[in-house]
Amino acid sequence: MHTTVVERELELRLILSPEYSVPVPARLTYLADDPYAVHVTFHIDSGRPVYWTFARELLVEGVFRPCGHGDVRVWPSKADGRSVVLMALSSPDGDALLEAPTAQVSAWLERTLRAVPPGTEAGQLALDDGLAELLAR
């Protein structure tokens, strides 16, 4: 079975202090067969990429207003006169504050919303097929 994949490469900024940030190449990935989630791959200098997965709805809402709590928080902001989306990520390995260009994130999100419109996510999961397969055993 073929699944729809929506990807976007972009450069984020890792905010180290109010005066200093470094570029972080990243890839946003959305898979129609995992319709509630967005996957972000950060390519840092560690030799291995860092992967984060969180709710698509969180990123959609975070473009417009602060949202989230705990490990992932997202909110709109301005940086040097540009609209940006800030993502605060927390894990046992550490915390990161990342800045993404709003226009690029929004354009990618629109593509994901066309692929799987809000409210239709459950239909992508094929739960009935999976349940039938389990019960057939």
Side-chain angles (χ1 to χ4, degrees), residues 3 6 13 45 60 67 85 93 97 100 105 108 118 121 124 133 135:
T3 187
V6 181
R13 305 288 308 171
D45 291 332
V60 169
C67 65
V85 177
D93 295 327
L97 177 60
V105 171
W108 176 78
E121 294 93 347
Q124 299 292 316
E133 183 180 327
L135 295 175

Side-chain angles (χ1 to χ4, degrees), residues 52-54 58 68-73 87-92 94-96:
W52 273 81
T53 300
F54 53 89
L58 185 66
H69 53 78
D71 295 345
V72 180
R73 292 177 293 121
M87 295 177 280
L89 307 177
S90 297
S91 78
D95 301 326

Side-chain angles (χ1 to χ4, degrees), residues 21-101:
S21 65
V22 295
V24 176
R27 179 186 303 119
L28 302 175
T29 304
Y30 179 77
L31 307 167
D33 63 356
D34 189 7
Y36 293 104
V38 294
H39 307 274
V40 186
T41 305
F42 302 102
H43 300 281
I44 57 175
D45 291 332
S46 68
R48 291 187 338 179
V50 174
Y51 302 96
W52 273 81
T53 300
F54 53 89
R56 175 175 73 165
E57 183 178 322
L58 185 66
L59 191 54
V60 169
E61 186 177 337
V63 168
F64 299 103
R65 68 189 134 281
C67 65
H69 53 78
D71 295 345
V72 180
R73 292 177 293 121
V74 184
W75 66 97
S77 189
K78 294 278 187 190
D80 301 322
R82 299 175 296 110
S83 293
V84 297
V85 177
L86 295 173
M87 295 177 280
L89 307 177
S90 297
S91 78
D93 295 327
D95 301 326
L97 177 60
L98 294 142
E99 174 188 292

Side-chain angles (χ1 to χ4, degrees), residues 117-131:
T120 67
E121 294 93 347
Q124 299 292 316
L125 296 176
L127 293 177
D128 291 337
D129 296 341
L131 185 57

